[in-house]
Amino acid sequence: MLLATQYLGLSLKNPLIASAAPLNAQLDHLRALEDAGAAAVVLPSLFQEQIEAEAAIHEHIMNSAAHNSPEASTYFPQTASGPYGVGPDAYLDLIHRARAAVAIPVIASLNGSSEAGWIEYAKMMQQAGAHAIELNMYFIPIDIELTGQNIEDRYVGILAAARRAVSIPLALKVSPQVSAFGNLAQRLHANGADGLVLFNRLLQPDIDLATLRLTQGVHLSTRAEMPLSLSWIALLAGRCGASLAASTGVEEADDVIKYLLAGADVVMTTSALLRHGAGHLTGLLNGLETWMEARQFASVSDLRGLMSWSRSRHKEFYGRPSYMKMLETGVTG
Ligand SMILES: Cc1cc2nc3c(=O)[nH]c(=O)nc-3n(C[C@H](O)[C@H](O)[C@H](O)COP(=O)(O)O)c2cc1C
């Protein structure tokens, strides 16, 4: 049975990738993911804010030295370690060490929201040995004067700067909250995105009614969050040129199969691995193989995209007619 897959021009042994997560900064965990069958790993993100903080520290130290007042440097933190305790320099070292620890492709992740000097860091990630870069554009348009065009232009601007900085493959992890995602997907591909990761999960605050405070936390996803990514994968498969990575809600092998049938080139998972451990990947792969065997699919490319919008004989399921029908036939579940 042939599970081999192409993603961003990389040859992968199967379509399962461990998506960005804090544990992926630990070499033991990366080895466990590889042993369990992961075809590639995405390192946790290095954030624009970390790179800019580090640059500010360096600039301050240089200025202090120039003015001969080293004591002033105590006002500044000496590192920009960020949420995972891995600062910009340590991140490059992590890429080196990850490359040495595992034989599968290592994808670095750069996370930011505006076009500025931090994007140049992508070049250092390439030099450190990353096989590809996943650029996570986590942007929340709080400014209500911003138009959809402004936001899409911002995405394209960041991408174009990253594309100029590196020659390795670039994937973009994006939010579905744009006015015309299909058109944006085409523009991103035309401007140098080799692949799209659908989707970023936006972490929004909640309200604690007991304390009347805003609360925030990272919750693991559930399968109930899959349909948005699933439908956009199905709508874009074979139509926008970019590799498509499905990310959100995978819990069992059935979810992997659904994403592949919709047209995903690869399927990523984080929450299920945090919930069940790296070994869960083996179960996902075994489940995929068992299903393929039962249905007599010899390779993943035979099933990929069978249920996508382009190839579906029931295109109405993706559009307004099914909306009407669903409301007529009633609520399920
Ligand atoms: C604890 C945690 C940390 C994460 N850290 C990152 C990160 O550093 N960069 C990133 O692009 N995504 C990050 N993500 C998002 C995941 O990579 C993934 O896209 C998301 O959780 C949806 O996939 P899932 O449903 O399989 O969890 C994180 C998710 C979790 C749960």
Side-chain angles (χ1 to χ4, degrees):
M1 186 165 305
L2 211 62
L3 297 186
T5 295
Q6 288 287 314
Y7 174 58
L8 311 173
L10 303 171
S11 297
L12 304 184
K13 62 186 175 186
N14 68 59
L16 271 184
I17 295 184
S19 38
L23 273 180
N24 295 4
Q26 295 177 16
L27 300 188
D28 282 353
H29 186 68
L30 295 182
R31 287 191 199 99
L33 289 169
E34 181 176 44
D35 290 347
V41 287
V42 185
L43 299 180
S45 292
L46 178 65
F47 293 81
Q48 171 177 1
E49 291 78 359
Q50 290 175 265
I51 297 168
E52 289 173 346
E54 184 102 327
I57 292 166
H58 283 164
E59 194 184 321
H60 175 76
I61 290 170
M62 296 304 284
N63 287 342
S64 302
H67 295 105
N68 203 17
S69 58
E71 70 280 2
S73 66
T74 54
Y75 295 129
F76 278 77
Q78 294 300 306
T79 59
S81 60
Y84 305 133
V86 181
D89 293 341
Y91 198 94
L92 298 180
D93 186 48
L94 172 64
I95 296 173
H96 273 300
R97 290 184 298 118
R99 281 293 312 267
V102 294
I104 52 178
V106 171
I107 301 173
S109 168
L110 198 50
N111 193 317
S113 68
S114 62
E115 204 183 323
W118 66 278
I119 301 166
E120 286 294 308
Y121 217 82
K123 197 180 290 171
M124 288 182 247
M125 290 178 160
Q126 172 170 344
Q127 285 159 356
H131 287 94
I133 292 175
E134 190 174 283
L135 198 55
N136 184 328
M137 299 207 189
Y138 192 98
F139 176 66
I140 300 167
I142 290 172
D143 177 355
I144 59 172
E145 301 303 322
L146 281 177
T147 64
Q149 187 72 46
N150 294 150
I151 295 164
E152 295 181 14
D153 289 348
R154 170 188 282 250
Y155 282 178
V156 172
I158 296 173
L159 163 68
R163 186 68 288 169
R164 285 191 297 275
V166 296
S167 56
I168 53 176
L170 263 180
L172 253 67
K173 192 170 185 178
V174 283
S175 153
Q177 294 179 346
V178 289
S179 51
F181 187 76
N183 180 264
L184 177 64
Q186 287 191 73
R187 263 187 93 192
L188 292 173
H189 179 56
N191 281 276
D194 300 288
L196 300 172
V197 181
L198 312 188
F199 284 114
N200 243 334
R201 282 175 82 219
L202 295 182
L203 305 175
Q204 282 133 344
D206 196 0
I207 297 172
D208 183 328
L209 290 181
T211 60
L212 282 190
R213 283 171 195 258
L214 289 174
T215 60
Q216 217 162 18
V218 183
H219 304 289
L220 299 183
S221 70
T222 67
R223 299 171 115 171
E225 294 173 52
M226 258 184 75
L228 185 62
S229 294
L230 188 74
S231 37
W232 272 110
I233 296 272
L235 287 169
L236 292 180
R239 296 173 78 203
C240 86
S243 293
L244 298 176
S247 169
T248 299
V250 168
E251 175 65 18
E252 298 297 344
D254 285 2
D255 309 323
V256 174
I257 298 162
K258 285 182 192 178
Y259 271 137
L260 293 171
L261 285 168
D265 293 290
V266 292
V267 179
M268 297 186 164
T269 170
T270 290
S271 294
L273 301 181
L274 292 176
R275 211 176 264 129
H276 308 293
H280 187 65
L281 250 160
T282 313
L284 297 179
L285 274 174
N286 290 344
L288 170 62
E289 285 190 294
T290 306
W291 187 87
M292 285 173 62
E293 220 166 84
R295 297 271 173 161
Q296 298 180 333
F297 283 109
S299 76
V300 272
S301 51
D302 292 343
L303 69 102
R304 181 175 288 115
L306 272 185
M307 311 294 283
S308 63
W309 180 86
S310 320
R311 292 172 64 187
S312 172
R313 280 182 285 122
H314 300 285
K315 290 191 170 39
E316 70 279 6
F317 266 87
Y318 289 101
R320 198 172 159 85
S322 79
Y323 165 57
M324 303 276 291
K325 206 170 185 141
M326 266 189 297
L327 297 178
E328 270 167 27
T329 44
V331 178
T332 56

